[in-house]
Amino acid sequence: MADDTSIFIGASRKPDDSYQRAEQLLLQYGNRHGLVTGATGTGKTVTLQILAEGFSNAGVPVFCADIKGDLSGIAMMGTAQDFLVKRAEQIKLDPYDFQEFPVIFWDLFGEQGHPIRATVSEMGPLLLSRLMNLTEAQEGIMNIAFRLADEEGLLLLDMKDLQALLANIAERADEIGSRYGNVTKPSVGAIQRTLLVLEQQGAAHFFGEPALRISDIMRTTRDGRGAISVLAADKLMMNPRLYATFLLWLMSELFEVLPEVGDPDKPKLVFFFDEAHLLFDEAPKVLVDRVEQVVRLIRSKGVGVYFVTQNPLDIPEKVLAQLGNRVQHALRAYTPREQQAVKTAAETFRPNPDFDCSTAITQLATGEALVSMLEAKGVPSMVQRTLIRPPSSRLGPITPDERRKLIQESPVAGQYDQVVDRESAFEMLQKKAREAQDAEEQARQAGSGGSRWTIPGFGNDDPAPQSGSRRTPAPRPSNRQTVAEAAIKSVVRSVGSSVGRAIVRGILGSLSRGR
Ligand SMILES: Nc1ncnc2c1ncn2[C@@H]1O[C@H](COP(=O)(O)OP(=O)(O)OP(=O)(O)O)[C@@H](O)[C@H]1O
Ligand SMILES: [Mg+2]
């Protein structure tokens, strides 16, 4: 039933409930994004599952989050349960085959999948400020911190690095403040405390190396199927802001890394954003605008973004307008607010004279939805009442044993499992501060301001250490650098020229490796 150009979603029904026609998602419009909505228990996850199956079979890699663990069954072969077989018959899905899919499990905490990490530097100030829920003034300081680190060649890999940099900035607050504006010790201190809270919530796991290589979520199998990356998100959901920021970061990474492809025959990757409302809850306007921009532009990189949430009103209008392929499961309409939501949801569809959309939305059965997909020339199809197909993979979760086995056999096994803690800002600042202290101490003991062991010469990484003796005498105490200042400057000297050059940040402020 599905061919090379489309994914079979289900069958629409006529007003008398008899079979009407197959409903499909055209792969050529798979990058025109989509939306899956509906109240609890109406069939959103199963819809996500069958879409992921369809994309995988078409050779398109998929990334999705598994909020409740019930999507993990997509890695196992389904079984012919009566209600599924009955549904298959109703929609003329013949043959109804069972299949297991190539899944790579990921987990920010490294428990239910391979750890996913990003470096602080790649994440960038905008997303980090959002993650930490910083005030505007604090965000300003974060921007300065990143600018300093970028300019001065300090590698910000993990949370330790950021803490060290902030400590350093607090110490240099006056100097930095006069150069960049509003930086005070107390305001930096407030950010440092927020960072501690974030660490206590487990975010430290996520920052560091080895960072995720985008190519690892874009794999295909030898038999031409797209890998399905499933992110364990049950524990992650306890920190919704980390969840949302992480997915945003991933989306922006994809955007920054992937080349333009125009309008491909099928997407290069499809990205499902479950619990999408978390992305926009309390998000400042500037972030919403940027997200809107990324969603709009990522299309031409061949990436389709599918938002999954209870209600279409959860998504800002500008973003909503870009979601071409839509599956609306049932909504409740008890309260006036719910009734309004139903009405609005109904109005987003191209009407079908056969039925009233808002009435239908409240009457849909489980696993039934109003469906409108982009058809010829990218125009939305007339909305149809559609019974969604049953999955070919298992409905419901896999067992811990099955998961463990799949993680061991995964193509990225062993590549991300150990943290690598290479020398970065924390170590550099620590080392330099120690050296600066030693140097001061020695200078003091030497009793002369002119010794070549005073601060200007302490940088042992200096390519021409011999020149120390020919240096001008140490600065007078009045303009003498603090330990931290000296440390920073020395670091700049030693690595600034190679790392600190022209760093360009993308729309969401993230930074990508190996572009
Ligand atoms: N297309 C379908 N074919 C057959 N059964 C379905 C289909 N969709 C949903 N169901 C049945 O409905 C149940 C609930 O669906 P699902 O878990 O997808 O709901 P949900 O909207 O994701 O709920 P929640 O908001 O609680 O996560 C499934 O476990 C399954 O039994
Ligand atoms: Mg669900």
Side-chain angles (χ1 to χ4, degrees):
M1 191 165 316
D3 51 40
D4 289 349
T5 60
S6 67
I7 295 173
F8 174 65
I9 294 179
S12 49
R13 299 192 288 165
K14 294 181 183 157
D16 66 0
D17 269 1
S18 61
Y19 177 91
Q20 180 169 272
R21 64 162 205 198
E23 298 295 327
Q24 344 237 8
L25 186 152
L26 295 180
L27 286 167
Q28 77 176 113
Y29 297 126
N31 65 336
R32 300 281 193 99
H33 308 323
L35 179 67
V36 178
T37 42
T40 327
T42 54
K44 294 185 299 296
T45 300
V46 175
T47 296
L48 198 158
Q49 186 169 354
I50 64 110
L51 286 174
E53 289 181 357
F55 281 117
S56 174
N57 278 337
V60 179
V62 170
F63 187 96
C64 51
D66 190 9
I67 306 283
K68 292 186 184 157
D70 53 351
L71 188 58
S72 55
I74 197 166
M76 307 307 291
M77 179 100 69
T79 46
Q81 299 181 60
D82 290 347
F83 73 104
L84 298 176
V85 173
K86 180 165 164 259
R87 169 67 60 99
E89 282 165 6
Q90 266 178 309
I91 60 170
K92 302 193 198 292
L93 172 57
D94 187 24
Y96 174 30
D97 293 323
F98 294 97
Q99 197 185 331
E100 55 188 26
F101 286 81
V103 169
I104 303 177
F105 288 108
W106 301 95
D107 181 0
L108 261 59
F109 303 99
E111 290 160 9
Q112 300 200 65
H114 304 287
I116 290 197
R117 296 183 203 88
T119 64
V120 168
S121 190
E122 286 163 340
M123 171 75 67
L126 180 68
L127 292 180
L128 256 175
S129 301
R130 166 81 173 128
L131 177 60
M132 293 164 69
N133 207 20
L134 298 186
T135 64
E136 222 169 287
Q138 291 169 337
E139 187 175 344
I141 294 175
M142 200 63 129
N143 280 320
I144 293 170
F146 271 76
R147 203 166 136 194
L148 273 175
D150 285 355
E151 281 174 11
E152 301 187 347
L154 288 171
L155 276 176
L156 299 178
L157 300 180
D158 50 26
M159 298 226 124
K160 281 197 317 250
D161 293 329
L162 190 56
Q163 281 289 13
L165 178 67
L166 289 170
N168 185 278
I169 287 175
E171 210 172 313
R172 301 160 70 200
D174 291 344
E175 173 227 328
I176 295 173
S178 65
R179 208 161 17 128
Y180 296 100
N182 231 355
V183 176
T184 62
K185 254 191 184 98
S187 53
V188 180
I191 305 180
Q192 287 178 287
R193 286 190 296 278
T194 314
L195 197 57
L196 272 181
V197 174
L198 196 65
E199 278 185 80
Q200 278 154 12
Q201 288 169 347
H205 287 279
F206 173 58
F207 291 103
E209 288 187 316
L212 177 72
R213 280 183 305 268
I214 291 297
S215 54
D216 275 333
I217 61 165
M218 302 199 63
R219 289 169 176 267
T220 47
T221 58
R222 272 186 222 290
D223 60 1
R225 291 184 298 160
I228 302 177
S229 285
V230 175
L231 175 74
D234 41 357
K235 187 168 164 192
L236 188 55
M237 289 317 284
M238 298 206 253
N239 186 347
R241 229 183 281 124
L242 178 60
Y243 168 78
T245 317
F246 163 68
L247 288 189
L248 260 187
W249 166 78
L250 188 55
M251 196 163 80
S252 85
E253 276 285 296
L254 286 166
F255 174 71
E256 302 297 339
V257 170
L258 298 180
E260 291 281 328
V261 291
D263 275 320
D265 294 344
K266 62 183 183 191
K268 300 286 176 204
L269 179 94
V270 164
F271 190 93
F272 286 97
F273 216 133
D274 205 342
E275 301 285 350
H277 63 99
L278 293 175
L279 188 53
F280 304 108
D281 284 352
E282 296 166 26
K285 185 176 177 303
V286 48
L287 184 66
V288 174
D289 287 349
R290 302 277 180 93
V291 171
E292 186 266 327
Q293 211 178 345
V294 172
V295 170
R296 179 157 39 82
L297 297 174
I298 206 167
R299 205 180 103 184
S300 63
K301 311 262 173 146
V303 177
V305 182
Y306 288 69
F307 291 93
V308 183
T309 186
Q310 295 221 350
N311 195 302
L313 296 181
D314 297 339
I315 313 276
E317 215 164 311
K318 271 157 85 186
V319 177
L320 200 59
Q322 300 181 49
L323 311 179
N325 300 299
R326 298 194 179 186
V327 180
Q328 171 72 62
H329 287 282
L331 288 175
R332 282 181 291 269
Y334 301 135
T335 68
R337 195 172 170 274
E338 285 170 347
Q339 283 155 12
Q340 181 57 40
V342 168
K343 194 163 160 282
T344 315
E347 281 165 2
T348 63
F349 285 110
R350 186 176 139 201
N352 184 330
D354 282 349
F355 60 88
D356 173 59
C357 236
S358 15
T359 316
I361 288 179
T362 59
Q363 292 172 348
L364 294 165
T366 307
E368 187 184 21
L370 295 186
V371 169
S372 168
M373 298 284 144
L374 295 181
E375 49 186 20
K377 297 205 174 77
V379 174
S381 66
M382 190 192 287
V383 62
Q384 300 290 354
R385 277 186 77 143
T386 304
L387 283 175
I388 307 294
R389 65 155 293 176
S392 293
S393 52
R394 182 191 297 172
L395 193 67
I398 55 171
T399 68
D401 275 346
E402 288 168 337
R403 187 187 286 268
R404 211 168 303 125
K405 189 155 172 289
L406 286 165
I407 293 172
Q408 276 162 11
E409 292 166 356
S410 124
V412 298
Q415 292 185 30
Y416 292 99
D417 303 331
Q418 294 302 321
V419 178
V420 177
D421 194 4
R422 72 173 158 126
E423 185 171 277
S424 51
F426 173 74
E427 289 83 6
M428 289 197 272
L429 288 172
Q430 233 186 13
K431 192 167 135 209
K432 297 303 175 188
R434 238 184 353 251
E435 287 173 3
Q437 245 163 6
D438 291 351
E440 276 204 53
E441 180 66 15
Q442 286 186 24
R444 214 161 34 82
Q445 283 176 5
S448 114
S451 157
R452 69 188 181 104
W453 298 111
T454 50
I455 289 160
F458 88 91
N460 295 335
D461 306 333
D462 198 308
Q466 260 39 11
S467 67
S469 52
R470 274 179 277 119
R471 283 226 173 109
T472 47
R476 304 240 67 84
S478 61
N479 63 355
R480 195 169 180 142
Q481 308 165 82
T482 67
V483 171
E485 277 173 330
I488 274 273
K489 283 185 186 153
S490 167
V491 173
V492 179
R493 243 201 334 272
S494 55
V495 298
S497 52
S498 56
V499 189
R501 76 188 128 97
I503 287 181
V504 181
R505 293 193 172 272
I507 297 179
L508 284 166
S510 72
L511 181 72
S512 52
R513 293 148 279 135
R515 213 176 298 181

